[in-house]
Amino acid sequence: MPRSAQRIAALLGCVGVAVLAGRLPAHASGLEPYQMMRSLQVVQDRIADGDHAALPMQTKLLNIIDARLRNAPREAYSDARNLNALLAYASSGGNPSTIRDVFATLSLEGDMRAIADGLLSYALGDHARARAALGGVSPLDLPPAVGAPLGLVSGSLLMRDTPLRALQLFDETRLVAPGTLLEEAALRRTLDATAILGDAERFTRAARQYVTRFIHSPYASQFAESLVAGIVTMRDKIDLDEVAQIADRMSDEQARVIYLRIARQAAIDGHDGLLAFASEQAAKKPSDPQQAEPLDPRAVLYASAASVTKENVTEVLETLRSIDEKRLSASDKELLRAAKAIARSVIEPPVITVEAERAAEPAVLGDSGQITPATAATEAPATDNEASFVQSAREKLEAVDRLLEAKR
């Protein structure tokens, strides 16, 4: 048994041992639902600390808890701790059929009925109804065991329409559940909410907190997606020195991936300043400092795709041709081929055909990976003083983006 699993088993007692063994002892069925939910929370907190071995244990425990909640006698839910355990389970993406069947047998009134209805709607995918039922809920008004997960759900439901209220709910969730997987998730969602609000200061503060406390979480890849999207969205507001400081708290590999993702999106969107920053920072963090070519081919690709002009197109095309496609992902191979095609279309004069007058649609990427200069046929041949057929760098990047979209 791995050491991490041994530590968790020691904390969980018989339930942890049962999960590790793939079975549930007979006497464990007598555990109260709230006791089993506490075991789940221990596992989730280990996950938040970066213990990836706990992920399969979480899945098994959820299955055990689902059966326990479904089969528990209805009088068990007269104990507020068990009712809160049921609500916490519903807030954590539990089995919709179990949630529906158990709630249907309970006589709940007032706020508890509204919360139950909202969580059932959430589980069934009716987010509009869930929003209406849960929008006024505050984690601070409920026991932490149910208030924290409920705050996370409510904030997620409200983020698009009322991001400021969602941000408040995420803050309250973190306040009542510090150091837990719930706080980890709340911080990730805080990035999304602050990006919608355009609040660069709170965005970078939340990013620093996440990197300091949860960068080893198995959900850190989702954090990376939100971080990159927020930086690109708020490129004119965000302090890039702050971004560099955040990345410096990561491992070199993690930081390099973040910078390359930023560079790729900046190259496609034509944000030259952000592209230059991200490419430069990525070059400082090679995957292997000992290798002969420390520059990541993706960094070379993104910078080259964004820098195509009439003056340097031949040089850029040679650089693009030097990139080893085997080291690129499938989508980046498409970007490379599209960038090469566009660079070639600048160097090679347009071909006039008898169908030129009918070629009014934008350029497309053919099956061979070559660009078909549909509109080029109507343009006059270029001379040293004429660049009527040479697209600007911005237009080229937009063409690259269209080509990629056409291939998806």
Coordinates of all heavy atoms in Angstrom, one line a residue, residues 94-129:
G94 N -23.5 15.0 -6.5 CA -23.9 13.7 -6.2 C -24.9 13.1 -7.3 O -25.3 13.8 -8.2
N95 N -25.2 11.9 -7.1 CA -26.1 11.1 -8.0 C -27.5 11.8 -8.0 O -28.2 11.8 -7.0 CB -26.2 9.7 -7.6 CG -27.0 8.8 -8.5 OD1 -27.8 9.4 -9.4 ND2 -27.0 7.5 -8.3
P96 N -27.9 12.4 -9.2 CA -29.2 13.1 -9.2 C -30.4 12.2 -8.8 O -31.3 12.6 -8.1 CB -29.4 13.5 -10.7 CG -28.0 13.6 -11.2 CD -27.2 12.5 -10.5
S97 N -30.4 10.9 -9.2 CA -31.5 10.0 -8.8 C -31.6 9.8 -7.3 O -32.7 9.8 -6.7 CB -31.4 8.7 -9.6 OG -30.3 8.0 -9.2
T98 N -30.4 9.7 -6.7 CA -30.4 9.5 -5.2 C -30.9 10.8 -4.5 O -31.8 10.7 -3.6 CB -29.0 9.2 -4.7 OG1 -28.6 7.9 -5.3 CG2 -29.0 9.1 -3.2
I99 N -30.5 11.9 -5.0 CA -30.9 13.2 -4.4 C -32.4 13.4 -4.6 O -33.1 13.7 -3.6 CB -30.1 14.3 -5.1 CG1 -28.6 14.2 -4.8 CG2 -30.7 15.7 -4.6 CD1 -27.8 15.1 -5.7
R100 N -32.9 13.1 -5.7 CA -34.3 13.2 -6.0 C -35.2 12.3 -5.1 O -36.1 12.7 -4.5 CB -34.6 13.0 -7.5 CG -36.1 13.1 -7.9 CD -36.4 12.6 -9.3 NE -36.0 11.2 -9.4 CZ -35.1 10.8 -10.3 NH1 -34.6 11.6 -11.2 NH2 -34.9 9.5 -10.4
D101 N -34.8 11.0 -5.1 CA -35.5 10.0 -4.3 C -35.5 10.3 -2.8 O -36.6 10.1 -2.2 CB -35.0 8.6 -4.6 CG -35.2 8.2 -6.0 OD1 -36.0 8.9 -6.7 OD2 -34.6 7.2 -6.5
V102 N -34.4 10.7 -2.3 CA -34.3 10.9 -0.8 C -35.1 12.2 -0.5 O -35.8 12.2 0.5 CB -32.9 11.0 -0.4 CG1 -32.8 11.3 1.1 CG2 -32.2 9.7 -0.6
F103 N -34.9 13.3 -1.2 CA -35.6 14.5 -0.9 C -37.1 14.3 -1.0 O -37.9 14.9 -0.3 CB -35.2 15.6 -1.9 CG -33.9 16.3 -1.6 CD1 -33.2 17.0 -2.6 CD2 -33.4 16.3 -0.3 CE1 -32.0 17.6 -2.3 CE2 -32.2 17.0 0.0 CZ -31.5 17.6 -1.0
A104 N -37.5 13.4 -1.9 CA -39.0 13.2 -2.1 C -39.6 12.6 -0.8 O -40.8 12.8 -0.6 CB -39.2 12.3 -3.3
T105 N -38.8 12.0 0.0 CA -39.4 11.3 1.2 C -39.3 12.2 2.5 O -39.8 11.8 3.5 CB -38.6 10.0 1.5 OG1 -37.3 10.3 1.8 CG2 -38.7 9.1 0.3
L106 N -38.6 13.4 2.3 CA -38.4 14.2 3.5 C -39.4 15.3 3.6 O -39.8 15.9 2.6 CB -37.0 14.8 3.5 CG -35.8 13.8 3.4 CD1 -34.5 14.5 3.4 CD2 -35.9 12.8 4.6
S107 N -39.9 15.7 4.8 CA -40.8 16.8 5.0 C -40.0 18.0 5.5 O -39.7 18.2 6.6 CB -41.8 16.4 6.1 OG -42.6 15.3 5.7
L108 N -39.5 18.8 4.5 CA -38.7 19.9 4.7 C -39.6 21.2 4.6 O -40.5 21.2 3.8 CB -37.5 20.0 3.8 CG -36.6 18.8 3.8 CD1 -35.5 18.9 2.8 CD2 -36.0 18.6 5.2
E109 N -39.2 22.2 5.4 CA -40.0 23.4 5.3 C -39.1 24.6 5.2 O -37.9 24.6 5.5 CB -40.9 23.6 6.6 CG -41.9 22.4 6.7 CD -42.7 22.6 8.0 OE1 -42.4 23.5 8.8 OE2 -43.7 21.8 8.2
G110 N -39.7 25.8 4.8 CA -39.0 27.0 4.8 C -37.7 27.0 4.0 O -37.6 26.5 2.8
D111 N -36.6 27.6 4.6 CA -35.3 27.7 3.9 C -34.8 26.3 3.5 O -34.2 26.2 2.4 CB -34.3 28.4 4.8 CG -34.7 29.9 5.0 OD1 -35.5 30.4 4.2 OD2 -34.1 30.5 5.9
M112 N -35.0 25.3 4.3 CA -34.4 24.0 4.0 C -35.1 23.4 2.7 O -34.5 22.8 1.9 CB -34.6 23.0 5.1 CG -33.5 23.2 6.2 SD -31.9 22.9 5.5 CE -30.8 23.4 6.9
R113 N -36.4 23.6 2.6 CA -37.1 23.2 1.4 C -36.6 23.9 0.2 O -36.4 23.3 -0.9 CB -38.6 23.4 1.6 CG -39.5 23.2 0.3 CD -39.1 21.9 -0.4 NE -39.4 20.7 0.4 CZ -39.0 19.5 0.1 NH1 -38.4 19.3 -1.1 NH2 -39.3 18.4 0.9
A114 N -36.4 25.2 0.3 CA -35.9 26.0 -0.8 C -34.5 25.5 -1.2 O -34.2 25.4 -2.4 CB -35.9 27.5 -0.5
I115 N -33.7 25.3 -0.3 CA -32.3 24.8 -0.5 C -32.4 23.4 -1.2 O -31.7 23.2 -2.2 CB -31.5 24.7 0.7 CG1 -31.2 26.2 1.2 CG2 -30.2 24.0 0.5 CD1 -30.5 26.2 2.6
A116 N -33.2 22.5 -0.7 CA -33.3 21.2 -1.3 C -33.8 21.3 -2.7 O -33.3 20.6 -3.6 CB -34.3 20.4 -0.4
D117 N -34.8 22.1 -2.9 CA -35.4 22.3 -4.3 C -34.3 22.8 -5.2 O -34.2 22.4 -6.4 CB -36.6 23.2 -4.3 CG -37.8 22.6 -3.7 OD1 -37.8 21.3 -3.5 OD2 -38.8 23.3 -3.4
G118 N -33.5 23.8 -4.7 CA -32.5 24.4 -5.5 C -31.4 23.4 -5.9 O -30.9 23.3 -7.0
L119 N -31.0 22.6 -4.9 CA -29.9 21.6 -5.1 C -30.4 20.5 -6.1 O -29.7 20.0 -6.9 CB -29.5 21.0 -3.8 CG -28.6 21.9 -3.0 CD1 -28.3 21.3 -1.6 CD2 -27.3 22.3 -3.7
L120 N -31.7 20.1 -5.9 CA -32.2 19.1 -6.9 C -32.2 19.6 -8.3 O -31.9 18.9 -9.2 CB -33.6 18.7 -6.4 CG -34.3 17.7 -7.3 CD1 -33.5 16.4 -7.5 CD2 -35.7 17.3 -6.8
S121 N -32.7 20.9 -8.4 CA -32.6 21.5 -9.8 C -31.2 21.6 -10.3 O -31.0 21.3 -11.5 CB -33.2 22.9 -9.7 OG -34.6 22.9 -9.3
Y122 N -30.3 21.9 -9.5 CA -28.9 21.9 -9.9 C -28.4 20.6 -10.3 O -27.8 20.4 -11.4 CB -28.0 22.4 -8.7 CG -26.5 22.4 -8.9 CD1 -25.9 23.2 -9.8 CD2 -25.7 21.4 -8.2 CE1 -24.5 23.1 -10.0 CE2 -24.4 21.4 -8.4 CZ -23.8 22.2 -9.3 OH -22.4 22.1 -9.5
A123 N -28.7 19.5 -9.6 CA -28.3 18.2 -9.9 C -29.0 17.7 -11.2 O -28.3 17.0 -12.0 CB -28.7 17.2 -8.8
L124 N -30.2 18.2 -11.5 CA -30.9 17.8 -12.7 C -30.5 18.7 -13.9 O -31.1 18.5 -15.0 CB -32.4 17.8 -12.5 CG -32.9 16.8 -11.4 CD1 -34.4 17.0 -11.2 CD2 -32.6 15.3 -11.9
G125 N -29.7 19.7 -13.7 CA -29.3 20.5 -14.8 C -30.2 21.7 -15.1 O -30.0 22.4 -16.1
D126 N -31.2 22.0 -14.2 CA -32.0 23.1 -14.4 C -31.4 24.3 -13.6 O -31.8 24.6 -12.5 CB -33.4 22.8 -13.9 CG -34.4 23.9 -14.2 OD1 -34.0 25.0 -14.6 OD2 -35.7 23.6 -14.0
H127 N -30.4 24.9 -14.2 CA -29.7 26.0 -13.6 C -30.5 27.2 -13.3 O -30.2 28.0 -12.4 CB -28.4 26.3 -14.3 CG -27.4 25.1 -14.3 ND1 -26.2 25.2 -14.9 CD2 -27.5 23.9 -13.6 CE1 -25.5 24.0 -14.7 NE2 -26.3 23.3 -13.9
A128 N -31.4 27.5 -14.2 CA -32.2 28.8 -14.0 C -33.0 28.6 -12.7 O -33.1 29.6 -11.9 CB -33.1 29.0 -15.2
R129 N -33.7 27.5 -12.5 CA -34.4 27.3 -11.3 C -33.5 27.2 -10.1 O -33.9 27.7 -9.0 CB -35.3 26.0 -11.4 CG -36.2 25.8 -10.3 CD -37.2 24.6 -10.6 NE -38.1 24.4 -9.4 CZ -39.0 23.5 -9.4 NH1 -39.2 22.8 -10.5 NH2 -39.8 23.3 -8.4

